Amino acid sequence: MMENQKQRKISGGRRQIFTALLLPMVLISFVAFVLPVARLIQMSFEESDVSGMLTGNYTSGNYPAFFTDGFNLDLITNSLVMSIVVTVTTLVFSFPVALYLFRISPAWRNILFVITISPLLVSSVVRTYGWMIILGQSGLINNALIYSGVIVEPLRMVNNFLGVIIGLVEIMMPYMILSLIAGFGRLSAVYEEAAASLGASAFTRFWRIILPLALPGIALGCLLCFVLSVSSFITPKLLGGGRVYVLATEIYDQAIIQLQWPKAATISVVVLIIFAIALFAYSWALRALDRRFS
Amino acid sequence: MVGTSKWPLRILVVLLYIFLLGPILIVVPLSFSNDTYLTFPPESWGIRWYGAMFYHQRMTDAFLVSLAIASIVTALSLVAGIPAAYCLARERFTGRDALLNLFTAPLLLPTIVLGLSILLVFVRLNLLGTYHGIVIAHLIVTTPYVIRIMITSFTTLPAYVEEAAKTLGASPLVVFRKITLPLVLPGFVASAALSFLLSFDEVIISLFLTGPRLTTLPVEIYNYVESQTDPMAASVSVVLVSATMAIVIVIERTVGLAKAIGR
């Protein structure tokens, strides 16, 4: 009995210690995450006048107003089309790299791994600026093409969707490569060799063995690329040069320049809904893959 | 192995790596341009913009602000994140998974949405354009990584090692100093390095919270790139990229880069 009581006392004390240890993180989460997200949703139902002043009343009109404005529908289309093009291009660009990384010797793999991932930690402002140097009016590519006489007038590769897409593909590649390699876990050279020894061509081996086994990784990479593209801001803003309008740039403009916070909050919730749909599509695709291949 | 030594694949991979690294590496040659506008290759070479950078008051101020904020954020991320990670790694209690999800959930939220949400709350708390505000906002970005790295560290350090030391008569403080700390040190260093880097490079949330009186370096570079056409941003970028690479090496040497930031 004594023993039991003593133990209970200790666990009570332990609980207090653990509460104290967790408290700072709980506070940070509350102030900088839970409360802000709740406030965002609340804000999307607040009423504001033309100048952006909050009237103090609640309205359910922000969402209907958003979806009946043609410009906003263009924003959604722009964001979705841009993100889909970026995702598909990133997949095509990343697949050979991932396959190569998966197959080379471990010593080389480690070095190339670091080279592949470290761009993730380089500021997106710097990476986008780099593209301005390469793609700009008097940038590397235009100067090289003019110097070699291929073109006379510089090509327009920035301040439009082309530049934004190129910049985003480069930013997304490390995420896609990591996801693909994680998905290659089930892929083994043994299967390929078996298929090759049975006379399968390189194309058949790719189409019938590599691709199906890599599908879960492809799905994960595409999900990541898509959601990160939909919410990307720096690249559309800088490489778009104010001529590319997507949901993320509009959130910033409405919040900081127009000071229309309810509108900015409404667009943010729309972005979150797109995220939720993408997640749903991803889990649906995974289940479909499981059914097909198990 | 099938297809390992095929040249077309190798050449393709080299081209794709040029594409991936090109925009980061090109700031280096451009930073040695002496031109007054952005053209590549530069018409004249020199270190003019490295000099200009040090006399650009706003840029140097922003650099010092970022340095201070990143240092404070690093210290607080460790102070808040490590105890929480210890609990989550060592204790089984109801709501444990819910807490873990809560602490790592900010990673799933788009940064632009998170930035706006924090703005909406901080405007009422008078935290806009203040050190406090930016530090608290950066903590929500750094702590999920600290918690994830440290949970891995604590889980791979079996509890019985500490128990054994205790049984042999070591006091809790000695156990912590002599056993726990040295064994989780790589995770500790990686958490600190990654927190510093994430805070120092953070731009989107900072854009919502900084003002004319207080800006961070990435925000200042962003404003500069958006409004100016001279190559000074390249010189600043080179400094930023070099610092980033130094920290990347620290992370790689401690817990490994892929483990630290892989999803």
Side-chain angles (χ1 to χ4, degrees):
Chain A
M1 283 301 257
M2 276 290 281
E3 197 62 36
N4 240 344
Q5 257 173 355
K6 202 175 157 196
Q7 256 178 6
R8 201 175 300 148
K9 218 179 205 167
I10 290 171
S11 74
R14 272 175 81 90
R15 183 181 293 165
Q16 274 176 357
I17 293 172
F18 281 115
T19 312
L21 292 178
L22 285 165
L23 197 63
M25 260 323 293
V26 173
L27 275 177
I28 294 171
S29 284
F30 189 74
V31 175
F33 180 64
V34 179
L35 207 59
V37 172
R39 179 83 184 106
L40 178 85
I41 293 164
Q42 186 194 23
M43 182 59 86
S44 73
F45 290 102
E46 286 206 25
E47 200 179 67
S48 64
D49 62 23
V50 227
S51 67
M53 281 285 281
L54 301 175
T55 59
N57 297 325
Y58 286 95
T59 169
S60 57
N62 290 338
Y63 289 96
F66 176 83
F67 284 108
T68 47
D69 185 335
F71 176 71
N72 293 333
L73 299 179
D74 283 349
L75 289 178
I76 297 182
T77 321
N78 287 350
S79 276
L80 292 181
V81 171
M82 178 188 82
S83 303
I84 290 168
V85 172
V86 167
T87 304
V88 172
T89 318
T90 309
L91 177 61
V92 172
F93 278 30
S94 303
F95 208 93
V97 179
L99 205 56
Y100 186 77
L101 278 178
F102 186 71
R103 286 174 173 174
I104 52 169
S105 65
W108 271 101
R109 191 187 300 159
N110 271 346
I111 298 167
L112 282 179
F113 231 73
V114 174
I115 295 177
T116 312
I117 309 173
S118 46
L120 280 183
L121 292 173
V122 174
S123 164
S124 57
V125 180
V126 172
R127 291 167 78 185
T128 303
Y129 182 61
W131 281 116
M132 294 166 84
I133 303 168
I134 295 171
L135 304 174
Q137 285 287 56
S138 49
L140 174 66
I141 291 180
N142 271 326
N143 276 345
L145 289 179
I146 290 173
Y147 183 77
S148 59
V150 179
I151 53 168
V152 183
E153 287 288 298
L155 301 172
R156 267 183 51 103
M157 289 175 291
V158 287
N159 301 341
N160 55 21
F161 269 102
L162 178 66
V164 175
I165 285 168
I166 294 175
L168 278 178
V169 167
E170 192 259 340
I171 287 185
M172 299 304 157
M173 271 178 76
Y175 293 106
M176 182 66 94
I177 295 170
L178 279 180
S179 309
L180 289 177
I181 290 177
F184 285 160
R186 298 187 294 171
L187 193 63
S188 162
V190 178
Y191 298 139
E192 282 181 72
E193 272 156 20
S197 67
L198 294 171
S201 69
F203 178 78
T204 312
R205 290 200 304 265
F206 178 80
W207 196 247
R208 302 292 293 274
I209 295 171
I210 300 180
L211 202 59
L213 283 171
L215 278 175
I218 293 175
L220 176 65
C222 287
L223 172 77
L224 268 178
C225 278
F226 180 80
V227 296
L228 289 170
S229 301
V230 167
S231 63
S232 66
F233 168 73
I234 298 292
T235 310
K237 193 80 178 168
L238 290 179
L239 281 171
R243 293 198 186 85
V244 167
Y245 299 97
V246 288
L247 291 168
T249 55
E250 189 68 6
I251 291 174
Y252 184 78
D253 285 349
Q254 289 296 340
I256 302 294
I257 296 160
Q258 314 285 338
L259 295 175
Q260 286 283 359
W261 291 348
K263 204 171 168 196
T266 307
I267 307 171
S268 298
V269 174
V270 170
V271 169
L272 291 182
I273 293 169
I274 294 177
F275 265 50
I277 295 172
L279 266 173
F280 184 79
Y282 168 72
S283 60
W284 177 84
L286 273 194
R287 259 178 292 138
L289 281 177
D290 253 16
R291 267 202 305 277
R292 174 116 164 59
F293 291 108
S294 63
Chain B
M1 264 201 260
V2 186
T4 313
S5 55
K6 288 214 174 116
W7 278 101
L9 179 65
R10 277 192 190 171
I11 293 165
L12 183 64
V13 168
V14 168
L15 289 176
L16 289 168
Y17 268 109
I18 292 173
F19 177 80
L20 179 62
L21 301 174
I24 300 169
L25 298 178
I26 198 142
V27 295
V28 179
L30 185 72
S31 71
F32 292 105
S33 161
N34 258 16
D35 300 343
T36 45
Y37 55 95
L38 201 162
T39 176
F40 198 92
E43 278 155 19
S44 56
W45 300 84
I47 53 164
R48 170 181 170 187
W49 293 109
Y50 280 98
M53 180 172 83
F54 289 104
Y55 292 102
H56 196 278
Q57 184 77 34
R58 291 180 61 86
M59 206 58 95
T60 48
D61 283 354
F63 175 77
L64 294 176
V65 168
S66 278
L67 210 58
I69 286 179
S71 309
I72 301 167
V73 167
T74 305
L76 292 181
S77 303
L78 298 175
V79 167
I82 293 177
Y86 185 79
C87 286
L88 295 174
R90 284 293 157 80
E91 282 304 284
R92 304 271 148 221
F93 54 92
T94 42
R96 180 192 166 273
D97 290 347
L99 270 184
L100 180 60
N101 287 336
L102 172 69
F103 294 159
T104 50
L107 288 183
L108 299 174
L109 211 63
T111 342
I112 184 105
V113 173
L114 195 57
L116 173 66
S117 310
I118 293 175
L119 165 81
L120 295 177
V121 167
F122 281 17
V123 68
R124 285 197 173 168
L125 302 173
N126 279 325
L127 286 171
L128 293 188
T130 65
Y131 277 94
H132 303 80
I134 301 172
V135 166
I136 297 170
H138 281 189
L139 282 174
I140 209 68
V141 181
T142 57
T143 49
Y145 290 96
V146 173
I147 287 177
R148 233 173 28 188
I149 295 172
M150 292 312 292
I151 284 182
T152 316
S153 286
F154 285 127
T155 326
T156 45
L157 160 72
Y160 67 76
V161 179
E162 289 164 319
E163 292 299 327
K166 224 179 278 176
T167 316
L168 295 171
S171 72
L173 197 70
V174 173
V175 174
F176 182 77
R177 239 191 37 219
K178 293 266 166 90
I179 309 286
T180 318
L181 197 59
L183 285 173
V184 299
L185 197 62
F188 184 87
V189 175
S191 302
L194 195 59
S195 298
F196 188 88
L197 196 56
L198 288 170
S199 167
F200 199 81
D201 270 351
E202 208 295 318
V203 59
I204 297 180
I205 295 175
S206 304
L207 268 172
F208 282 95
L209 303 180
T210 51
R213 279 177 298 143
L214 187 71
T215 52
T216 61
L217 187 62
V219 171
E220 195 54 42
I221 302 177
Y222 169 85
N223 287 333
Y224 198 89
V225 168
E226 207 189 19
S227 57
Q228 309 287 321
T229 51
D230 64 53
M232 194 181 86
S235 307
V236 186
S237 299
V238 168
V239 176
L240 203 62
V241 171
S242 319
T244 305
M245 286 306 144
I247 295 176
V248 163
I249 291 169
V250 171
I251 300 174
E252 173 62 19
R253 286 284 164 85
T254 47
V255 296
L257 198 57
K259 247 190 205 153
I261 59 171
R263 289 175 181 246

